[in-house]
Amino acid sequence: MARTVGIGIQDFGKVITNDCFYVDKTDFIREWWERKDDVTLITRPRRFGKTLNMSMLEQFFSVEYAGRGELFEGLSVWKYERYRELQGTYPVISLSFARVKEVNYPDTRAKLCEILRNLYIKYSFLRECKVLTDADRAYFDRILELEISNSDATSALYQMSDYLYRYYGKKVIILLDEYDTPMQEAFVGGFWDEIVAFIRSLFNSTFKTNPWLERGVMTGITRSSKESIFSDLNNLKVVTSTSDEYAASFGFTEEEVLAALEEYRLSEKKEQVKYW
């Protein structure tokens, strides 16, 4: 019996536990891990499965999903014992800029600060743990305030990486989905220079000068020039639609499309789909 196609589901675990139609992209986990790049920027058009793959990465590596190996049973990555042992063993910071679509700089900055504040709320248990000092707690409290200074906001992911490292004893993996949404809005809205200064500082402290970063992944639909927000990130591996790396990890290959048609008894539509 063909699996149900769940329209719009972006949560990997929800797709798997509900037995929805899923094209196995878990080999992306192995391929990315074995390349050992510090920070990877992957650009693809919309509707190519970027968010679902980021959810998959989070649920594979995050300590919050320790013991949830059943999500990956029967999938490509689970064939390797080394990766079965790796599942659920890293602190992971996962966030998305997808909803940052304000039309001016103050509102855009406020929305970004809200995302950072929510991250600190999620990890509020860290504030009371013994690994944080009084100065750390004071910084923690400043991030939770409605008004956050630029210096505090742009260091928020850097500081959280430090806190998680001290708590778990392992460097963190940082996943940032749709990094470029606020940049697109800024370009259209005429506040590009303001947002570039903020984002550049945030990205530099998060992805370049962060000693507690194990690895990072960013996704988006565009590649911003290295003269703008990425001017300091000489450790960035950029993978576009024309790159060989991860070529089969986003979107569907011809083989995958044909297998899907077979599952739904639509093999006679092969030539029509190919024409599309």
Side-chain angles (χ1 to χ4, degrees):
M1 183 176 178
R3 295 165 292 176
T4 299
V5 177
I7 303 298
I9 301 176
Q10 298 181 315
D11 181 284
F12 175 79
K14 187 175 180 180
V15 170
I16 299 302
T17 56
N18 289 329
D19 195 28
C20 293
F21 174 76
Y22 176 67
V23 176
D24 187 354
K25 298 294 182 179
T26 60
D27 202 53
F28 170 57
I29 298 169
R30 183 190 60 80
E31 184 180 359
W32 173 67
W33 195 250
E34 292 182 1
R35 288 189 181 276
K36 301 182 180 179
D37 296 313
D38 266 358
V39 184
T40 307
L41 168 63
I42 299 174
T43 64
R44 288 293 189 279
R46 289 187 172 89
R47 305 295 177 259
F48 263 63
K50 298 185 298 296
T51 298
L52 184 59
N53 274 0
M54 292 290 264
S55 175
M56 175 186 72
L57 284 179
E58 178 187 9
Q59 295 179 28
F60 184 82
F61 285 103
S62 176
V63 292
E64 296 175 36
Y65 289 86
R68 295 295 311 277
E70 77 276 3
L71 293 174
F72 298 89
E73 287 179 3
L75 299 175
S76 176
V77 72
W78 213 244
K79 295 184 297 185
Y80 303 91
E81 183 176 353
R82 175 191 174 196
Y83 287 91
R84 292 198 296 270
E85 295 173 352
L86 195 59
Q87 194 275 324
T89 59
Y90 277 88
V92 174
I93 295 174
S94 179
L95 62 164
S96 171
F97 287 171
R99 61 189 184 90
V100 186
K101 297 184 177 182
E102 276 56 41
V103 297
N104 57 63
Y105 175 68
D107 288 346
T108 297
R109 184 188 179 282
K111 183 61 70 67
L112 290 169
C113 288
E114 177 191 313
I115 291 171
L116 296 172
R117 186 183 305 111
N118 288 340
L119 180 72
Y120 273 67
I121 292 171
K122 175 183 177 181
Y123 290 113
S124 58
F125 67 89
L126 291 173
R127 189 191 179 285
E128 306 307 322
C129 69
K130 295 180 180 179
V131 298
L132 264 63
T133 66
D134 289 342
D136 294 325
R137 294 186 182 91
Y139 177 85
F140 210 109
D141 291 342
R142 293 201 301 273
I143 296 297
L144 295 177
E145 294 174 358
L146 289 179
E147 295 296 328
I148 309 173
S149 70
N150 271 2
S151 59
D152 280 344
T154 56
S155 297
L157 297 178
Y158 173 94
Q159 292 295 120
M160 181 54 70
S161 300
D162 176 20
Y163 301 157
L164 289 169
Y165 173 75
R166 281 189 255 166
Y167 186 81
Y168 289 106
K170 294 189 76 169
K171 293 184 177 182
V172 304
I173 294 171
I174 299 180
L175 307 175
L176 174 55
D177 195 26
E178 298 203 36
Y179 86 93
D180 53 344
T181 298
M183 311 304 299
Q184 296 168 46
E185 299 299 327
F187 184 79
V188 173
F191 54 98
W192 174 265
D193 290 341
E194 296 166 287
I195 196 63
V196 162
F198 183 90
I199 294 288
R200 182 193 292 128
S201 182
L202 175 66
F203 283 6
N204 182 66
S205 66
T206 302
F207 294 112
K208 178 59 179 176
T209 59
N210 188 346
W212 304 287
L213 175 68
E214 179 64 39
R215 299 187 198 178
V217 179
M218 290 186 280
T219 66
I221 64 171
T222 57
R223 173 185 173 179
S224 294
S225 69
K226 289 191 175 181
E227 289 71 34
S228 58
I229 61 175
F230 297 137
S231 58
D232 297 327
L233 296 185
N234 58 3
N235 62 331
L236 186 66
K237 174 66 176 179
V238 179
V239 181
T240 69
S241 297
T242 59
S243 304
D244 291 333
E245 298 95 331
Y246 317 127
S249 298
F250 297 85
F252 298 150
T253 65
E254 181 174 355
E255 181 181 358
E256 290 165 348
V257 171
L258 295 178
L261 291 173
E262 179 70 23
E263 178 173 346
Y264 292 92
R265 299 181 181 180
L266 294 170
S267 296
E268 73 279 1
K269 302 290 187 180
K270 171 184 172 182
E271 293 304 320
Q272 184 178 355
V273 170
K274 194 174 218 179
Y275 175 75
W276 290 344

